[in-house]
Amino acid sequence: MALRARGQTPAATTARLEELQSRIRPHFLFNTLNSAIALVREEPAKAETMLEDLSELFR
């Protein structure tokens, strides 16, 4: 009901959400990869776990 009160349809809201998510993903991936790079030398096991988790997320 709140969507209709603001003149938004569920489809428009879903499209907007998908647009925002597509903007977030590249930044998330960039930040995650930089974090893994930082861990590679000091804590390689944590870096490996992080990259495995990232791989699982994108699967």
Short mmCIF file of all heavy atoms in Angstrom, two decimals:
data_model
loop_
_atom_site.label_atom_id
_atom_site.label_comp_id
_atom_site.label_asym_id
_atom_site.label_seq_id
_atom_site.Cartn_x
_atom_site.Cartn_y
_atom_site.Cartn_z
N MET A 1 0.80 -1.19 0.00
CA MET A 1 0.00 0.00 0.00
C MET A 1 0.86 1.27 0.00
O MET A 1 0.52 2.22 -0.64
CB MET A 1 -0.94 0.02 1.22
CG MET A 1 -1.88 -1.15 1.32
SD MET A 1 -3.06 -1.10 -0.01
CE MET A 1 -3.83 -2.66 0.21
N ALA A 2 1.95 1.25 0.72
CA ALA A 2 2.81 2.43 0.79
C ALA A 2 3.41 2.76 -0.57
O ALA A 2 3.61 3.92 -0.90
CB ALA A 2 3.90 2.22 1.81
N LEU A 3 3.69 1.73 -1.37
CA LEU A 3 4.23 1.96 -2.72
C LEU A 3 3.23 2.73 -3.57
O LEU A 3 3.60 3.67 -4.28
CB LEU A 3 4.58 0.63 -3.40
CG LEU A 3 5.74 -0.17 -2.82
CD1 LEU A 3 5.87 -1.50 -3.55
CD2 LEU A 3 7.02 0.61 -2.91
N ARG A 4 1.99 2.32 -3.53
CA ARG A 4 0.95 2.99 -4.32
C ARG A 4 0.75 4.43 -3.85
O ARG A 4 0.50 5.31 -4.65
CB ARG A 4 -0.35 2.21 -4.25
CG ARG A 4 -0.28 0.93 -5.03
CD ARG A 4 -1.62 0.27 -5.15
NE ARG A 4 -1.45 -1.01 -5.81
CZ ARG A 4 -2.11 -2.08 -5.52
NH1 ARG A 4 -3.03 -2.08 -4.58
NH2 ARG A 4 -1.90 -3.21 -6.18
N ALA A 5 0.85 4.65 -2.57
CA ALA A 5 0.68 6.00 -2.03
C ALA A 5 1.74 6.94 -2.58
O ALA A 5 1.51 8.13 -2.74
CB ALA A 5 0.71 5.98 -0.51
N ARG A 6 2.92 6.40 -2.88
CA ARG A 6 4.00 7.21 -3.43
C ARG A 6 4.03 7.14 -4.96
O ARG A 6 4.96 7.63 -5.58
CB ARG A 6 5.34 6.76 -2.87
CG ARG A 6 5.48 7.11 -1.39
CD ARG A 6 6.82 6.72 -0.88
NE ARG A 6 6.84 5.27 -0.71
CZ ARG A 6 7.86 4.58 -0.24
NH1 ARG A 6 8.96 5.18 0.08
NH2 ARG A 6 7.78 3.28 -0.10
N GLY A 7 3.05 6.49 -5.55
CA GLY A 7 2.99 6.40 -7.01
C GLY A 7 3.95 5.40 -7.60
O GLY A 7 4.30 5.50 -8.77
N GLN A 8 4.40 4.43 -6.83
CA GLN A 8 5.33 3.42 -7.33
C GLN A 8 4.65 2.07 -7.40
O GLN A 8 3.92 1.68 -6.50
CB GLN A 8 6.55 3.31 -6.41
CG GLN A 8 7.40 4.55 -6.37
CD GLN A 8 8.55 4.39 -5.40
OE1 GLN A 8 8.43 3.75 -4.37
NE2 GLN A 8 9.68 4.99 -5.74
N THR A 9 4.92 1.37 -8.49
CA THR A 9 4.41 0.01 -8.63
C THR A 9 5.47 -0.96 -8.12
O THR A 9 6.66 -0.61 -8.06
CB THR A 9 4.11 -0.31 -10.11
OG1 THR A 9 5.35 -0.28 -10.83
CG2 THR A 9 3.12 0.68 -10.71
N PRO A 10 5.07 -2.16 -7.77
CA PRO A 10 6.08 -3.15 -7.37
C PRO A 10 7.13 -3.38 -8.46
O PRO A 10 8.31 -3.53 -8.16
CB PRO A 10 5.26 -4.41 -7.11
CG PRO A 10 3.91 -3.90 -6.72
CD PRO A 10 3.72 -2.66 -7.58
N ALA A 11 6.72 -3.37 -9.72
CA ALA A 11 7.68 -3.58 -10.81
C ALA A 11 8.69 -2.44 -10.89
O ALA A 11 9.89 -2.67 -11.09
CB ALA A 11 6.93 -3.71 -12.14
N ALA A 12 8.23 -1.21 -10.70
CA ALA A 12 9.14 -0.06 -10.72
C ALA A 12 10.10 -0.12 -9.54
O ALA A 12 11.29 0.20 -9.68
CB ALA A 12 8.35 1.25 -10.70
N THR A 13 9.61 -0.54 -8.40
CA THR A 13 10.46 -0.66 -7.22
C THR A 13 11.51 -1.74 -7.42
O THR A 13 12.68 -1.56 -7.09
CB THR A 13 9.60 -0.96 -5.98
OG1 THR A 13 8.65 0.09 -5.82
CG2 THR A 13 10.44 -1.07 -4.73
N THR A 14 11.11 -2.86 -8.00
CA THR A 14 12.04 -3.95 -8.29
C THR A 14 13.10 -3.50 -9.29
O THR A 14 14.29 -3.78 -9.10
CB THR A 14 11.28 -5.18 -8.83
OG1 THR A 14 10.35 -5.61 -7.84
CG2 THR A 14 12.23 -6.32 -9.17
N ALA A 15 12.70 -2.78 -10.31
CA ALA A 15 13.65 -2.28 -11.31
C ALA A 15 14.65 -1.33 -10.67
O ALA A 15 15.85 -1.38 -10.96
CB ALA A 15 12.91 -1.59 -12.45
N ARG A 16 14.17 -0.47 -9.79
CA ARG A 16 15.06 0.47 -9.10
C ARG A 16 16.05 -0.27 -8.20
O ARG A 16 17.23 0.06 -8.15
CB ARG A 16 14.22 1.46 -8.27
CG ARG A 16 15.03 2.44 -7.48
CD ARG A 16 15.68 3.47 -8.38
NE ARG A 16 16.34 4.47 -7.53
CZ ARG A 16 17.52 4.97 -7.78
NH1 ARG A 16 18.18 4.62 -8.85
NH2 ARG A 16 18.05 5.85 -6.97
N LEU A 17 15.56 -1.28 -7.49
CA LEU A 17 16.43 -2.08 -6.63
C LEU A 17 17.52 -2.77 -7.45
O LEU A 17 18.69 -2.76 -7.08
CB LEU A 17 15.61 -3.11 -5.86
CG LEU A 17 16.39 -4.06 -4.96
CD1 LEU A 17 17.14 -3.28 -3.88
CD2 LEU A 17 15.45 -5.07 -4.32
N GLU A 18 17.15 -3.35 -8.59
CA GLU A 18 18.12 -4.01 -9.45
C GLU A 18 19.16 -3.02 -9.98
O GLU A 18 20.34 -3.34 -10.07
CB GLU A 18 17.42 -4.73 -10.60
CG GLU A 18 16.67 -5.96 -10.13
CD GLU A 18 15.84 -6.61 -11.23
OE1 GLU A 18 15.86 -6.12 -12.39
OE2 GLU A 18 15.17 -7.61 -10.93
N GLU A 19 18.72 -1.81 -10.31
CA GLU A 19 19.65 -0.78 -10.78
C GLU A 19 20.66 -0.43 -9.69
O GLU A 19 21.86 -0.34 -9.94
CB GLU A 19 18.88 0.48 -11.18
CG GLU A 19 19.79 1.63 -11.57
CD GLU A 19 19.04 2.95 -11.70
OE1 GLU A 19 17.80 2.98 -11.62
OE2 GLU A 19 19.74 3.96 -11.86
N LEU A 20 20.19 -0.26 -8.47
CA LEU A 20 21.08 0.07 -7.36
C LEU A 20 22.04 -1.08 -7.07
O LEU A 20 23.22 -0.85 -6.80
CB LEU A 20 20.26 0.42 -6.11
CG LEU A 20 19.50 1.73 -6.19
CD1 LEU A 20 18.57 1.87 -4.99
CD2 LEU A 20 20.44 2.91 -6.29
N GLN A 21 21.54 -2.32 -7.13
CA GLN A 21 22.40 -3.47 -6.88
C GLN A 21 23.50 -3.58 -7.93
O GLN A 21 24.63 -3.93 -7.62
CB GLN A 21 21.58 -4.76 -6.85
CG GLN A 21 20.76 -4.90 -5.59
CD GLN A 21 19.86 -6.12 -5.62
OE1 GLN A 21 19.42 -6.55 -6.67
NE2 GLN A 21 19.59 -6.66 -4.45
N SER A 22 23.19 -3.26 -9.18
CA SER A 22 24.21 -3.34 -10.23
C SER A 22 25.31 -2.30 -10.01
O SER A 22 26.44 -2.51 -10.41
CB SER A 22 23.58 -3.17 -11.61
OG SER A 22 23.16 -1.83 -11.81
N ARG A 23 24.98 -1.21 -9.36
CA ARG A 23 25.99 -0.20 -9.03
C ARG A 23 26.85 -0.64 -7.86
O ARG A 23 28.03 -0.34 -7.79
CB ARG A 23 25.33 1.13 -8.69
CG ARG A 23 24.71 1.81 -9.85
CD ARG A 23 24.14 3.12 -9.42
NE ARG A 23 23.41 3.76 -10.49
CZ ARG A 23 22.79 4.90 -10.36
NH1 ARG A 23 22.79 5.53 -9.21
NH2 ARG A 23 22.13 5.41 -11.38
N ILE A 24 26.27 -1.34 -6.92
CA ILE A 24 26.98 -1.74 -5.71
C ILE A 24 27.95 -2.88 -5.99
O ILE A 24 29.06 -2.89 -5.48
CB ILE A 24 25.97 -2.16 -4.61
CG1 ILE A 24 25.19 -0.94 -4.14
CG2 ILE A 24 26.67 -2.83 -3.44
CD1 ILE A 24 24.00 -1.27 -3.26
N ARG A 25 27.57 -3.84 -6.80
CA ARG A 25 28.39 -5.03 -7.02
C ARG A 25 29.82 -4.73 -7.45
O ARG A 25 30.75 -5.30 -6.89
CB ARG A 25 27.71 -5.97 -8.01
CG ARG A 25 26.59 -6.73 -7.37
CD ARG A 25 26.07 -7.82 -8.28
NE ARG A 25 24.82 -8.31 -7.76
CZ ARG A 25 23.66 -8.16 -8.34
NH1 ARG A 25 23.58 -7.57 -9.51
NH2 ARG A 25 22.56 -8.63 -7.79
N PRO A 26 30.05 -3.83 -8.43
CA PRO A 26 31.44 -3.57 -8.81
C PRO A 26 32.27 -3.01 -7.66
O PRO A 26 33.43 -3.38 -7.48
CB PRO A 26 31.33 -2.56 -9.96
CG PRO A 26 29.98 -2.80 -10.52
CD PRO A 26 29.12 -3.18 -9.35
N HIS A 27 31.68 -2.13 -6.86
CA HIS A 27 32.40 -1.56 -5.72
C HIS A 27 32.68 -2.63 -4.67
O HIS A 27 33.77 -2.68 -4.10
CB HIS A 27 31.61 -0.40 -5.09
CG HIS A 27 31.45 0.75 -6.01
ND1 HIS A 27 32.50 1.58 -6.35
CD2 HIS A 27 30.38 1.21 -6.69
CE1 HIS A 27 32.06 2.51 -7.18
NE2 HIS A 27 30.79 2.30 -7.42
N PHE A 28 31.70 -3.48 -4.43
CA PHE A 28 31.86 -4.57 -3.48
C PHE A 28 32.99 -5.49 -3.93
O PHE A 28 33.87 -5.85 -3.15
CB PHE A 28 30.55 -5.35 -3.34
CG PHE A 28 30.70 -6.63 -2.59
CD1 PHE A 28 30.80 -6.63 -1.21
CD2 PHE A 28 30.76 -7.84 -3.26
CE1 PHE A 28 30.95 -7.83 -0.51
CE2 PHE A 28 30.91 -9.03 -2.58
CZ PHE A 28 31.00 -9.02 -1.20
N LEU A 29 32.98 -5.86 -5.20
CA LEU A 29 34.01 -6.75 -5.73
C LEU A 29 35.39 -6.11 -5.64
O LEU A 29 36.35 -6.74 -5.19
CB LEU A 29 33.69 -7.13 -7.18
CG LEU A 29 34.67 -8.07 -7.86
CD1 LEU A 29 34.80 -9.39 -7.09
CD2 LEU A 29 34.22 -8.33 -9.29
N PHE A 30 35.50 -4.85 -6.03
CA PHE A 30 36.76 -4.12 -5.97
C PHE A 30 37.30 -4.09 -4.54
O PHE A 30 38.47 -4.40 -4.29
CB PHE A 30 36.55 -2.69 -6.49
CG PHE A 30 37.77 -1.82 -6.39
CD1 PHE A 30 38.77 -1.90 -7.34
CD2 PHE A 30 37.91 -0.92 -5.34
CE1 PHE A 30 39.89 -1.09 -7.25
CE2 PHE A 30 39.02 -0.11 -5.25
CZ PHE A 30 40.03 -0.19 -6.21
N ASN A 31 36.44 -3.73 -3.59
CA ASN A 31 36.87 -3.65 -2.19
C ASN A 31 37.26 -5.01 -1.62
O ASN A 31 38.24 -5.13 -0.88
CB ASN A 31 35.78 -3.01 -1.33
CG ASN A 31 35.60 -1.55 -1.64
OD1 ASN A 31 36.50 -0.88 -2.12
ND2 ASN A 31 34.41 -1.04 -1.38
N THR A 32 36.51 -6.04 -1.99
CA THR A 32 36.81 -7.38 -1.50
C THR A 32 38.14 -7.88 -2.04
O THR A 32 38.96 -8.45 -1.30
CB THR A 32 35.68 -8.35 -1.87
OG1 THR A 32 34.45 -7.85 -1.35
CG2 THR A 32 35.94 -9.74 -1.32
N LEU A 33 38.37 -7.66 -3.33
CA LEU A 33 39.64 -8.09 -3.91
C LEU A 33 40.82 -7.34 -3.31
O LEU A 33 41.88 -7.93 -3.05
CB LEU A 33 39.62 -7.92 -5.43
CG LEU A 33 38.69 -8.89 -6.17
CD1 LEU A 33 38.62 -8.52 -7.65
CD2 LEU A 33 39.13 -10.32 -5.98
N ASN A 34 40.67 -6.05 -3.07
CA ASN A 34 41.75 -5.30 -2.43
C ASN A 34 42.01 -5.80 -1.01
O ASN A 34 43.16 -5.85 -0.56
CB ASN A 34 41.45 -3.80 -2.43
CG ASN A 34 41.80 -3.16 -3.74
OD1 ASN A 34 42.69 -3.61 -4.44
ND2 ASN A 34 41.11 -2.10 -4.08
N SER A 35 40.97 -6.16 -0.30
CA SER A 35 41.14 -6.71 1.05
C SER A 35 41.89 -8.04 0.99
O SER A 35 42.77 -8.30 1.81
CB SER A 35 39.78 -6.91 1.73
OG SER A 35 39.16 -5.68 1.93
N ALA A 36 41.55 -8.87 0.02
CA ALA A 36 42.23 -10.16 -0.12
C ALA A 36 43.70 -9.95 -0.47
O ALA A 36 44.57 -10.64 0.07
CB ALA A 36 41.54 -11.01 -1.19
N ILE A 37 43.98 -8.99 -1.35
CA ILE A 37 45.37 -8.70 -1.71
C ILE A 37 46.16 -8.30 -0.47
O ILE A 37 47.31 -8.72 -0.29
CB ILE A 37 45.43 -7.59 -2.79
CG1 ILE A 37 44.93 -8.14 -4.12
CG2 ILE A 37 46.84 -7.03 -2.93
CD1 ILE A 37 44.67 -7.07 -5.17
N ALA A 38 45.55 -7.49 0.37
CA ALA A 38 46.23 -7.04 1.60
C ALA A 38 46.54 -8.21 2.53
O ALA A 38 47.52 -8.18 3.26
CB ALA A 38 45.38 -6.00 2.31
N LEU A 39 45.69 -9.23 2.51
CA LEU A 39 45.87 -10.38 3.40
C LEU A 39 46.86 -11.43 2.86
O LEU A 39 47.38 -12.23 3.63
CB LEU A 39 44.53 -11.07 3.64
CG LEU A 39 43.54 -10.38 4.56
CD1 LEU A 39 42.21 -11.12 4.55
CD2 LEU A 39 44.09 -10.28 5.97
N VAL A 40 47.09 -11.43 1.57
CA VAL A 40 47.88 -12.50 0.94
C VAL A 40 49.23 -12.72 1.63
O VAL A 40 49.59 -13.86 1.93
CB VAL A 40 48.06 -12.25 -0.57
CG1 VAL A 40 49.13 -13.13 -1.17
CG2 VAL A 40 46.74 -12.46 -1.29
N ARG A 41 49.95 -11.67 1.90
CA ARG A 41 51.29 -11.82 2.48
C ARG A 41 51.25 -12.06 3.98
O ARG A 41 52.05 -12.83 4.51
CB ARG A 41 52.13 -10.59 2.18
CG ARG A 41 52.54 -10.52 0.74
CD ARG A 41 53.61 -9.48 0.50
NE ARG A 41 53.96 -9.45 -0.92
CZ ARG A 41 53.81 -8.41 -1.70
NH1 ARG A 41 53.35 -7.29 -1.22
NH2 ARG A 41 54.15 -8.48 -2.96
N GLU A 42 50.35 -11.39 4.67
CA GLU A 42 50.34 -11.46 6.13
C GLU A 42 49.51 -12.61 6.69
O GLU A 42 49.87 -13.19 7.69
CB GLU A 42 49.85 -10.13 6.71
CG GLU A 42 50.82 -8.99 6.42
CD GLU A 42 50.41 -7.70 7.08
OE1 GLU A 42 49.68 -7.75 8.08
OE2 GLU A 42 50.82 -6.64 6.57
N GLU A 43 48.40 -12.90 6.03
CA GLU A 43 47.52 -13.96 6.51
C GLU A 43 46.95 -14.73 5.32
O GLU A 43 45.77 -14.60 5.00
CB GLU A 43 46.39 -13.38 7.37
CG GLU A 43 46.90 -12.65 8.62
CD GLU A 43 45.77 -12.16 9.49
OE1 GLU A 43 45.05 -13.03 10.02
OE2 GLU A 43 45.63 -10.94 9.62
N PRO A 44 47.80 -15.52 4.65
CA PRO A 44 47.36 -16.19 3.43
C PRO A 44 46.15 -17.11 3.61
O PRO A 44 45.31 -17.22 2.71
CB PRO A 44 48.58 -16.97 2.97
CG PRO A 44 49.56 -16.91 4.08
CD PRO A 44 49.17 -15.81 4.98
N ALA A 45 46.02 -17.75 4.76
CA ALA A 45 44.87 -18.63 4.98
C ALA A 45 43.57 -17.83 4.99
O ALA A 45 42.56 -18.27 4.44
CB ALA A 45 45.04 -19.41 6.28
N LYS A 46 43.61 -16.65 5.61
CA LYS A 46 42.42 -15.79 5.63
C LYS A 46 42.09 -15.28 4.22
O LYS A 46 40.93 -15.19 3.84
CB LYS A 46 42.61 -14.61 6.58
CG LYS A 46 42.41 -14.96 8.03
CD LYS A 46 42.42 -13.71 8.89
CE LYS A 46 42.23 -14.08 10.35
NZ LYS A 46 42.22 -12.87 11.20
N ALA A 47 43.13 -14.95 3.47
CA ALA A 47 42.93 -14.51 2.08
C ALA A 47 42.28 -15.62 1.26
O ALA A 47 41.35 -15.37 0.49
CB ALA A 47 44.25 -14.08 1.46
N GLU A 48 42.76 -16.82 1.44
CA GLU A 48 42.19 -17.96 0.71
C GLU A 48 40.72 -18.16 1.08
O GLU A 48 39.87 -18.34 0.21
CB GLU A 48 42.99 -19.23 1.01
CG GLU A 48 42.48 -20.43 0.25
CD GLU A 48 43.31 -21.68 0.50
OE1 GLU A 48 44.28 -21.63 1.29
OE2 GLU A 48 42.98 -22.71 -0.09
N THR A 49 40.43 -18.10 2.36
CA THR A 49 39.05 -18.25 2.82
C THR A 49 38.16 -17.14 2.25
O THR A 49 37.04 -17.40 1.80
CB THR A 49 38.98 -18.24 4.36
OG1 THR A 49 39.76 -19.33 4.85
CG2 THR A 49 37.56 -18.37 4.86
N MET A 50 38.67 -15.92 2.26
CA MET A 50 37.90 -14.80 1.73
C MET A 50 37.58 -15.00 0.26
O MET A 50 36.45 -14.80 -0.18
CB MET A 50 38.67 -13.49 1.92
CG MET A 50 37.96 -12.28 1.36
SD MET A 50 38.95 -10.78 1.46
CE MET A 50 38.74 -10.40 3.18
N LEU A 51 38.57 -15.43 -0.50
CA LEU A 51 38.36 -15.64 -1.94
C LEU A 51 37.44 -16.83 -2.21
O LEU A 51 36.63 -16.79 -3.14
CB LEU A 51 39.70 -15.80 -2.65
CG LEU A 51 40.55 -14.53 -2.66
CD1 LEU A 51 41.94 -14.83 -3.21
CD2 LEU A 51 39.88 -13.43 -3.46
N GLU A 52 37.53 -17.86 -1.39
CA GLU A 52 36.59 -18.99 -1.52
C GLU A 52 35.16 -18.54 -1.23
O GLU A 52 34.22 -18.92 -1.94
CB GLU A 52 37.00 -20.13 -0.59
CG GLU A 52 38.24 -20.86 -1.04
CD GLU A 52 38.77 -21.83 0.00
OE1 GLU A 52 38.35 -21.76 1.19
OE2 GLU A 52 39.62 -22.66 -0.36
N ASP A 53 35.00 -17.73 -0.19
CA ASP A 53 33.67 -17.21 0.15
C ASP A 53 33.13 -16.31 -0.97
O ASP A 53 31.95 -16.38 -1.31
CB ASP A 53 33.71 -16.42 1.46
CG ASP A 53 33.93 -17.30 2.68
OD1 ASP A 53 33.80 -18.54 2.56
OD2 ASP A 53 34.24 -16.74 3.75
N LEU A 54 34.00 -15.49 -1.53
CA LEU A 54 33.60 -14.63 -2.63
C LEU A 54 33.16 -15.46 -3.84
O LEU A 54 32.14 -15.18 -4.48
CB LEU A 54 34.75 -13.70 -3.01
CG LEU A 54 34.46 -12.72 -4.12
CD1 LEU A 54 33.36 -11.73 -3.73
CD2 LEU A 54 35.74 -11.97 -4.51
N SER A 55 33.93 -16.49 -4.12
CA SER A 55 33.59 -17.39 -5.22
C SER A 55 32.22 -18.04 -5.01
O SER A 55 31.40 -18.12 -5.92
CB SER A 55 34.67 -18.46 -5.35
OG SER A 55 34.32 -19.40 -6.33
N GLU A 56 31.99 -18.48 -3.79
CA GLU A 56 30.70 -19.10 -3.45
C GLU A 56 29.56 -18.10 -3.59
O GLU A 56 28.48 -18.43 -4.10
CB GLU A 56 30.74 -19.67 -2.03
CG GLU A 56 29.50 -20.41 -1.61
CD GLU A 56 29.27 -21.67 -2.41
OE1 GLU A 56 30.23 -22.29 -2.87
OE2 GLU A 56 28.08 -22.04 -2.58
N LEU A 57 29.79 -16.87 -3.18
CA LEU A 57 28.78 -15.82 -3.28
C LEU A 57 28.37 -15.57 -4.72
O LEU A 57 27.19 -15.42 -5.03
CB LEU A 57 29.30 -14.53 -2.64
CG LEU A 57 28.37 -13.33 -2.71
CD1 LEU A 57 27.13 -13.56 -1.85
CD2 LEU A 57 29.10 -12.08 -2.26
N PHE A 58 29.35 -15.54 -5.62
CA PHE A 58 29.05 -15.26 -7.01
C PHE A 58 28.61 -16.48 -7.80
O PHE A 58 28.22 -16.36 -8.95
CB PHE A 58 30.26 -14.58 -7.68
CG PHE A 58 30.33 -13.12 -7.38
CD1 PHE A 58 31.11 -12.66 -6.34
CD2 PHE A 58 29.62 -12.21 -8.14
CE1 PHE A 58 31.18 -11.30 -6.04
CE2 PHE A 58 29.67 -10.85 -7.85
CZ PHE A 58 30.45 -10.40 -6.81
N ARG A 59 28.67 -17.65 -7.20
CA ARG A 59 28.24 -18.87 -7.88
C ARG A 59 26.77 -18.92 -7.98
O ARG A 59 25.82 -18.68 -7.93
CB ARG A 59 28.76 -20.10 -7.14
CG ARG A 59 28.44 -21.37 -7.87
CD ARG A 59 29.09 -22.56 -7.24
NE ARG A 59 30.54 -22.39 -7.30
CZ ARG A 59 31.38 -22.91 -6.41
NH1 ARG A 59 30.92 -23.62 -5.41
NH2 ARG A 59 32.66 -22.74 -6.51
#
